[in-house]
C-alpha cells in the first residue's frame, strides 16, 4: 500500500474554491483512504489506498466526491512516490548555471501529453524563461522569477488543451518526504 499524493487544482483557503484542509482531509477519510495528511492550504493531500484502483479511477472518485460535498469542480491529479522521485530526477534544468529551485515549478498534468499537444507549444520561446514537457509534466524554470513570466498553467492549458496544476520545487520535495515518512511533517 504505497502512498499517493493528490494535487488538487484551484483549491485554496480563501476566494474561489475555498476549502479548509480539515474538511478536505475528512472527505478523503470518508472515501476510505488511510494515512490522510494535507500540506499547506492549496490542496496537497497524501493518502494511502488499499482498493487497488487505478490512478484514473481514484481521480474520478475524488473529483466526484468534492463536487458532491462542496459543489466544486476540481481536477484531482494523482501521483505516487515513484512518480515524484521521477519528477525530481529528470528535472531538465537542475544543471543550469546558478540554478535556483525557488524559481522552478512542475506543472502536473491530468493525463499524458500527445504529440499534437506538444506541437502546439513547440515554437514558444520567452527567454530567459524555459520549459520542457516530459510525459505528463511540464517543467518550467524562470531564472528571474515568475512575476512577469508568460509560462503559467493557464497558458499551457489554453494552448495545449490540457488540465494541470503547478507545484513549486519545495512543495514537491516536501510531499514526497511526507509520503515516504508517515510520521514526519
Amino acid at each position: 500500500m504505497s502512498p499517493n499524493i493528490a494535487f488538487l487544482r484551484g483549491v485554496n483557503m480563501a476566494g474561489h474554491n475555498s476549502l479548509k484542509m480539515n474538511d478536505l482531509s475528512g472527505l478523503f477519510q470518508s472515501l476510505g483512504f488511510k494515512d490522510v495528511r494535507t500540506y499547506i492550504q492549496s490542496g496537497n493531500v497524501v493518502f494511502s489506498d488499499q482498493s487497488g484502483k487505478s490512478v484514473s479511477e481514484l481521480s474520478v472518485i475524488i473529483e466526484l466526491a468534492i463536487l458532491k460535498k462542496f459543489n466544486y469542480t476540481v481536477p484531482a491529479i494523482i501521483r505516487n512516490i515513484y512518480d515524484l522521485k521521477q519528477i525530481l530526477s529528470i528535472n531538465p534544468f537542475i544543471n543550469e548555471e546558478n540554478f535556483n529551485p525557488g524559481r522552478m515549478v512542475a506543472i502536473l498534468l491530468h493525463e499524458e501529453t500527445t504529440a499534437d499537444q506538444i506541437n502546439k507549444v513547440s515554437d514558444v520561446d520567452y527567454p530567459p524563461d524555459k520549459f520542457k514537457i516530459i510525459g505528463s509534466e511540464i517543467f518550467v524554470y524562470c531564472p528571474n522569477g515568475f512575476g512577469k513570466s508568460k509560462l503559467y498553467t493557464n497558458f499551457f492549458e489554453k494552448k495545449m488543451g490540457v488540465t494541470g496544476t503547478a507545484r513549486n520545487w519545495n512543495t514537491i520535495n516536501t510531499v514526497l518526504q511526507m509520503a515516504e515518512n508517515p510520521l514526519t511533517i
Side-chain angles (χ1 to χ4, degrees), residues 70-142:
F70 303 110
N71 201 30
Y72 296 147
T73 301
V74 174
I77 298 162
I78 311 288
R79 298 293 189 269
N80 61 34
I81 289 174
Y82 171 79
D83 297 328
L84 291 185
K85 286 181 179 180
Q86 185 74 7
I87 290 168
L88 293 172
S89 73
I90 63 173
N91 178 350
F93 304 114
I94 195 111
N95 294 319
E96 291 281 318
E97 186 175 332
N98 300 317
F99 176 74
N100 179 346
R103 300 201 170 168
M104 172 86 207
V105 299
I107 301 173
L108 311 170
L109 300 177
H110 208 278
E111 297 177 5
E112 188 94 10
T113 54
T114 66
D116 286 340
Q117 289 170 322
I118 293 170
N119 285 336
K120 291 178 182 180
V121 294
S122 64
D123 62 346
V124 170
D125 190 23
Y126 295 119
D129 301 343
K130 303 173 183 184
F131 74 95
K132 181 150 178 90
I133 302 168
I134 303 174
S136 54
E137 272 71 49
I138 303 172
F139 295 85
V140 180
Y141 183 54
C142 298

Side-chain angles (χ1 to χ4, degrees), residues 11 23 29-30 36 38 89-90 95 100 129 147 155 168-169:
V11 171
D23 293 340
Q29 290 170 359
S30 76
V36 177
T38 60
S89 73
I90 63 173
N95 294 319
N100 179 346
D129 301 343
F155 168 82
N168 67 43
W169 220 236

